[in-house]
Short mmCIF file of all heavy atoms in Angstrom, two decimals:
data_model
loop_
_atom_site.label_atom_id
_atom_site.label_comp_id
_atom_site.label_asym_id
_atom_site.label_seq_id
_atom_site.Cartn_x
_atom_site.Cartn_y
_atom_site.Cartn_z
N THR A 825 112.06 54.05 98.46
CA THR A 825 110.94 54.88 98.94
C THR A 825 109.80 54.86 97.98
O THR A 825 108.88 55.60 98.12
CB THR A 825 111.45 56.30 99.19
OG1 THR A 825 110.40 57.03 99.87
CG2 THR A 825 111.72 57.04 97.97
N ASN A 826 109.88 53.98 96.98
CA ASN A 826 108.82 53.72 96.02
C ASN A 826 109.11 52.38 95.39
O ASN A 826 109.88 51.57 95.94
CB ASN A 826 108.63 54.84 95.00
CG ASN A 826 110.04 55.14 94.39
OD1 ASN A 826 110.84 54.28 94.05
ND2 ASN A 826 110.27 56.44 94.13
N ARG A 827 108.58 52.06 94.22
CA ARG A 827 108.78 50.75 93.61
C ARG A 827 110.12 50.53 93.03
O ARG A 827 110.59 49.42 92.81
CB ARG A 827 107.72 50.50 92.56
CG ARG A 827 106.26 50.31 93.03
CD ARG A 827 105.33 49.93 91.87
NE ARG A 827 105.82 48.62 91.32
CZ ARG A 827 105.71 48.32 90.00
NH1 ARG A 827 105.06 49.16 89.18
NH2 ARG A 827 106.07 47.13 89.54
N TRP A 828 110.85 51.60 92.77
CA TRP A 828 112.24 51.43 92.24
C TRP A 828 113.10 50.69 93.27
O TRP A 828 112.96 51.06 94.50
CB TRP A 828 112.82 52.77 91.85
CG TRP A 828 112.17 53.40 90.70
CD1 TRP A 828 111.28 54.43 90.72
CD2 TRP A 828 112.32 53.03 89.28
NE1 TRP A 828 110.87 54.69 89.36
CE2 TRP A 828 111.49 53.90 88.49
CE3 TRP A 828 113.11 52.06 88.64
CZ2 TRP A 828 111.39 53.78 87.11
CZ3 TRP A 828 113.03 51.93 87.23
CH2 TRP A 828 112.18 52.85 86.52
N HIS A 829 113.95 49.84 92.85
CA HIS A 829 114.71 49.01 93.80
C HIS A 829 115.47 49.79 94.85
O HIS A 829 115.53 49.38 96.07
CB HIS A 829 115.72 48.14 93.02
CG HIS A 829 116.56 47.22 93.77
ND1 HIS A 829 117.77 47.61 94.37
CD2 HIS A 829 116.37 45.94 94.27
CE1 HIS A 829 118.32 46.61 95.04
NE2 HIS A 829 117.46 45.59 94.96
N HIS A 830 116.08 50.90 94.39
CA HIS A 830 116.70 51.84 95.42
C HIS A 830 116.83 53.26 94.88
O HIS A 830 117.05 53.42 93.66
CB HIS A 830 118.09 51.31 95.95
CG HIS A 830 119.06 51.18 94.81
ND1 HIS A 830 119.08 50.10 93.92
CD2 HIS A 830 120.18 51.89 94.52
CE1 HIS A 830 120.10 50.17 93.16
NE2 HIS A 830 120.79 51.23 93.49
N SER A 831 116.59 54.21 95.69
CA SER A 831 116.93 55.57 95.38
C SER A 831 118.07 56.03 96.25
O SER A 831 118.69 57.08 95.98
CB SER A 831 115.72 56.51 95.54
OG SER A 831 115.18 56.45 96.86
N LEU A 832 118.30 55.29 97.34
CA LEU A 832 119.44 55.57 98.26
C LEU A 832 120.07 54.25 98.65
O LEU A 832 119.37 53.24 98.80
CB LEU A 832 118.87 56.29 99.50
CG LEU A 832 119.92 56.69 100.55
CD1 LEU A 832 120.85 57.74 100.11
CD2 LEU A 832 119.24 57.07 101.85
N ALA A 833 121.34 54.23 98.75
CA ALA A 833 122.04 53.07 99.35
C ALA A 833 123.01 53.57 100.28
O ALA A 833 123.65 54.65 100.12
CB ALA A 833 122.64 52.20 98.22
N ILE A 834 123.33 52.70 101.29
CA ILE A 834 124.36 53.02 102.35
C ILE A 834 125.48 52.02 102.20
O ILE A 834 125.25 50.83 102.23
CB ILE A 834 123.76 52.93 103.78
CG1 ILE A 834 122.36 53.60 103.83
CG2 ILE A 834 124.69 53.52 104.76
CD1 ILE A 834 122.33 55.04 103.59
N ALA A 835 126.71 52.54 102.08
CA ALA A 835 127.88 51.68 101.93
C ALA A 835 128.73 51.81 103.22
O ALA A 835 128.86 52.91 103.76
CB ALA A 835 128.68 51.96 100.70
N ARG A 836 129.36 50.68 103.57
CA ARG A 836 130.34 50.76 104.71
C ARG A 836 131.60 51.42 104.18
O ARG A 836 132.21 50.93 103.22
CB ARG A 836 130.68 49.32 105.22
CG ARG A 836 131.55 49.36 106.49
CD ARG A 836 131.84 47.98 106.96
NE ARG A 836 130.58 47.26 107.27
CZ ARG A 836 129.85 47.32 108.41
NH1 ARG A 836 130.30 48.18 109.31
NH2 ARG A 836 128.81 46.65 108.63
N GLY A 837 132.00 52.53 104.79
CA GLY A 837 133.26 53.16 104.32
C GLY A 837 134.03 53.71 105.51
O GLY A 837 133.48 53.72 106.64
N PRO A 838 135.23 54.17 105.32
CA PRO A 838 136.07 54.69 106.42
C PRO A 838 135.66 56.02 106.97
O PRO A 838 136.11 56.42 108.05
CB PRO A 838 137.48 54.73 105.76
CG PRO A 838 137.18 54.96 104.31
CD PRO A 838 135.93 54.22 103.99
N HIS A 839 134.82 56.80 106.16
CA HIS A 839 134.41 58.14 106.63
C HIS A 839 133.11 58.47 105.97
O HIS A 839 132.67 57.84 104.96
CB HIS A 839 135.50 59.12 106.39
CG HIS A 839 136.07 59.01 105.00
ND1 HIS A 839 137.37 58.57 104.79
CD2 HIS A 839 135.59 59.26 103.78
CE1 HIS A 839 137.59 58.59 103.49
NE2 HIS A 839 136.54 59.00 102.87
N VAL A 840 132.50 59.48 106.38
CA VAL A 840 131.26 60.01 105.79
C VAL A 840 131.66 60.68 104.46
O VAL A 840 132.53 61.55 104.46
CB VAL A 840 130.56 61.03 106.71
CG1 VAL A 840 129.37 61.70 106.00
CG2 VAL A 840 130.13 60.33 108.00
N ALA A 841 131.00 60.29 103.40
CA ALA A 841 131.29 60.83 102.04
C ALA A 841 130.21 60.42 101.10
O ALA A 841 129.47 59.47 101.37
CB ALA A 841 132.68 60.42 101.58
N LEU A 842 130.25 61.03 99.88
CA LEU A 842 129.48 60.54 98.80
C LEU A 842 130.11 59.24 98.26
O LEU A 842 131.37 59.39 97.91
CB LEU A 842 129.35 61.65 97.73
CG LEU A 842 128.73 61.19 96.41
CD1 LEU A 842 127.18 60.91 96.54
CD2 LEU A 842 128.89 62.32 95.35
N HIS A 843 129.52 58.18 97.96
CA HIS A 843 129.99 57.01 97.35
C HIS A 843 129.81 57.17 95.82
O HIS A 843 130.85 57.13 95.15
CB HIS A 843 129.30 55.79 97.84
CG HIS A 843 129.85 54.50 97.32
ND1 HIS A 843 129.61 54.06 96.06
CD2 HIS A 843 130.62 53.54 97.88
CE1 HIS A 843 130.18 52.85 95.84
NE2 HIS A 843 130.80 52.55 96.94
N HIS A 844 128.62 57.37 95.37
CA HIS A 844 128.41 57.70 93.99
C HIS A 844 126.98 58.20 93.72
O HIS A 844 126.13 57.96 94.55
CB HIS A 844 128.71 56.53 92.97
CG HIS A 844 127.72 55.43 92.97
ND1 HIS A 844 127.83 54.28 93.76
CD2 HIS A 844 126.57 55.26 92.20
CE1 HIS A 844 126.81 53.46 93.47
NE2 HIS A 844 125.99 54.04 92.55
N ALA A 845 126.85 58.95 92.61
CA ALA A 845 125.53 59.33 92.13
C ALA A 845 125.34 58.73 90.82
O ALA A 845 126.21 58.67 89.96
CB ALA A 845 125.45 60.88 91.99
N SER A 846 124.09 58.24 90.57
CA SER A 846 123.82 57.41 89.38
C SER A 846 122.79 58.02 88.47
O SER A 846 121.72 58.54 89.05
CB SER A 846 123.44 55.99 89.76
OG SER A 846 123.09 55.22 88.64
N PHE A 847 122.93 57.95 87.15
CA PHE A 847 121.95 58.58 86.28
C PHE A 847 121.37 57.58 85.28
O PHE A 847 122.18 56.83 84.67
CB PHE A 847 122.78 59.75 85.54
CG PHE A 847 123.19 60.85 86.43
CD1 PHE A 847 124.40 60.70 87.12
CD2 PHE A 847 122.51 61.94 86.55
CE1 PHE A 847 124.84 61.69 87.98
CE2 PHE A 847 122.89 63.01 87.34
CZ PHE A 847 124.08 62.85 88.12
N GLU A 848 120.14 57.61 85.18
CA GLU A 848 119.37 56.66 84.29
C GLU A 848 119.48 57.10 82.83
O GLU A 848 119.21 58.30 82.52
CB GLU A 848 117.95 56.56 84.76
CG GLU A 848 117.07 55.65 83.90
CD GLU A 848 117.30 54.16 84.19
OE1 GLU A 848 117.84 53.87 85.33
OE2 GLU A 848 116.82 53.34 83.44
N MET A 849 119.89 56.15 81.98
CA MET A 849 119.84 56.36 80.53
C MET A 849 118.66 55.76 79.92
O MET A 849 117.87 54.96 80.51
CB MET A 849 121.12 55.79 79.91
CG MET A 849 122.43 56.28 80.55
SD MET A 849 122.67 58.06 80.42
CE MET A 849 123.46 58.06 78.79
N ARG A 850 118.34 56.14 78.65
CA ARG A 850 117.11 55.70 78.00
C ARG A 850 117.02 54.17 77.91
O ARG A 850 115.93 53.53 78.05
CB ARG A 850 117.00 56.32 76.56
CG ARG A 850 115.75 56.08 75.80
CD ARG A 850 115.77 56.67 74.41
NE ARG A 850 114.59 56.56 73.71
CZ ARG A 850 114.22 55.46 73.01
NH1 ARG A 850 114.98 54.42 72.88
NH2 ARG A 850 113.03 55.49 72.34
N GLY A 851 118.13 53.52 77.56
CA GLY A 851 118.09 52.12 77.32
C GLY A 851 119.58 51.59 77.20
O GLY A 851 120.53 52.36 77.34
N ILE A 852 119.67 50.30 76.91
CA ILE A 852 121.05 49.68 76.84
C ILE A 852 121.88 50.32 75.77
O ILE A 852 123.03 50.67 75.99
CB ILE A 852 120.94 48.18 76.49
CG1 ILE A 852 120.25 47.43 77.71
CG2 ILE A 852 122.28 47.63 76.17
CD1 ILE A 852 121.06 47.31 78.86
N ASP A 853 121.35 50.61 74.62
CA ASP A 853 122.12 51.24 73.50
C ASP A 853 122.63 52.68 73.95
O ASP A 853 123.80 52.99 73.79
CB ASP A 853 121.29 51.37 72.23
CG ASP A 853 122.12 51.88 71.10
OD1 ASP A 853 123.10 51.28 70.64
OD2 ASP A 853 121.83 53.02 70.65
N GLU A 854 121.74 53.43 74.53
CA GLU A 854 122.15 54.78 74.93
C GLU A 854 123.13 54.72 76.07
O GLU A 854 124.08 55.58 76.16
CB GLU A 854 120.89 55.59 75.36
CG GLU A 854 119.92 55.88 74.18
CD GLU A 854 119.12 54.74 73.71
OE1 GLU A 854 118.97 53.74 74.47
OE2 GLU A 854 118.61 54.79 72.61
N TYR A 855 122.89 53.76 76.99
CA TYR A 855 123.89 53.55 78.05
C TYR A 855 125.25 53.18 77.58
O TYR A 855 126.29 53.77 78.03
CB TYR A 855 123.34 52.46 79.02
CG TYR A 855 124.33 51.66 79.75
CD1 TYR A 855 124.94 52.18 80.93
CD2 TYR A 855 124.72 50.37 79.31
CE1 TYR A 855 125.88 51.42 81.61
CE2 TYR A 855 125.66 49.62 80.03
CZ TYR A 855 126.27 50.13 81.15
OH TYR A 855 127.22 49.43 81.82
N MET A 856 125.35 52.39 76.57
CA MET A 856 126.64 51.98 76.05
C MET A 856 127.28 53.13 75.16
O MET A 856 128.43 53.33 75.19
CB MET A 856 126.48 50.74 75.16
CG MET A 856 126.27 49.43 75.96
SD MET A 856 127.64 49.12 77.16
CE MET A 856 129.02 48.83 76.07
N ARG A 857 126.40 53.77 74.44
CA ARG A 857 126.94 54.98 73.73
C ARG A 857 127.50 56.01 74.65
O ARG A 857 128.57 56.65 74.38
CB ARG A 857 125.84 55.66 72.83
CG ARG A 857 125.41 54.84 71.66
CD ARG A 857 124.15 55.41 71.01
NE ARG A 857 123.74 54.65 69.83
CZ ARG A 857 123.95 54.97 68.63
NH1 ARG A 857 124.68 56.02 68.28
NH2 ARG A 857 123.54 54.19 67.59
N GLY A 858 126.82 56.30 75.77
CA GLY A 858 127.31 57.24 76.75
C GLY A 858 128.60 56.74 77.36
O GLY A 858 129.62 57.53 77.51
N THR A 859 128.72 55.46 77.73
CA THR A 859 129.88 54.94 78.26
C THR A 859 131.04 55.08 77.28
O THR A 859 132.18 55.49 77.67
CB THR A 859 129.70 53.42 78.54
OG1 THR A 859 128.66 53.31 79.56
CG2 THR A 859 130.96 52.71 79.07
N GLY A 860 130.78 54.76 76.00
CA GLY A 860 131.77 54.86 75.00
C GLY A 860 132.30 56.37 74.80
O GLY A 860 133.45 56.55 74.59
N ARG A 861 131.39 57.32 74.88
CA ARG A 861 131.72 58.70 74.67
C ARG A 861 132.70 59.09 75.83
O ARG A 861 133.75 59.77 75.55
CB ARG A 861 130.50 59.54 74.79
CG ARG A 861 130.88 61.08 74.65
CD ARG A 861 129.61 61.98 74.68
NE ARG A 861 129.00 61.95 76.04
CZ ARG A 861 127.76 61.42 76.29
NH1 ARG A 861 127.03 60.92 75.29
NH2 ARG A 861 127.23 61.48 77.49
N LEU A 862 132.47 58.68 77.07
CA LEU A 862 133.37 59.00 78.17
C LEU A 862 134.73 58.32 77.96
O LEU A 862 135.76 58.90 78.31
CB LEU A 862 132.71 58.62 79.48
CG LEU A 862 131.47 59.45 79.82
CD1 LEU A 862 130.74 58.81 81.00
CD2 LEU A 862 131.78 60.85 80.13
N LEU A 863 134.75 57.04 77.54
CA LEU A 863 135.99 56.38 77.41
C LEU A 863 136.83 57.05 76.22
O LEU A 863 138.03 57.27 76.39
CB LEU A 863 135.73 54.90 77.04
CG LEU A 863 135.15 54.04 78.10
CD1 LEU A 863 134.76 52.64 77.55
CD2 LEU A 863 136.11 53.88 79.27
#
Side-chain angles (χ1 to χ4, degrees):
T825 190
N826 50 40
R827 290 188 60 210
W828 293 103
H829 181 270
H830 59 286
S831 58
L832 180 71
I834 316 295
R836 187 181 302 279
H839 46 251
V840 174
L842 174 67
H843 185 283
H844 74 268
S846 179
F847 297 80
E848 177 79 15
M849 306 297 275
R850 183 182 188 275
I852 293 289
D853 183 66
E854 292 76 18
Y855 152 78
M856 288 301 295
R857 287 171 182 262
T859 298
R861 179 180 67 247
L862 294 169
L863 292 174

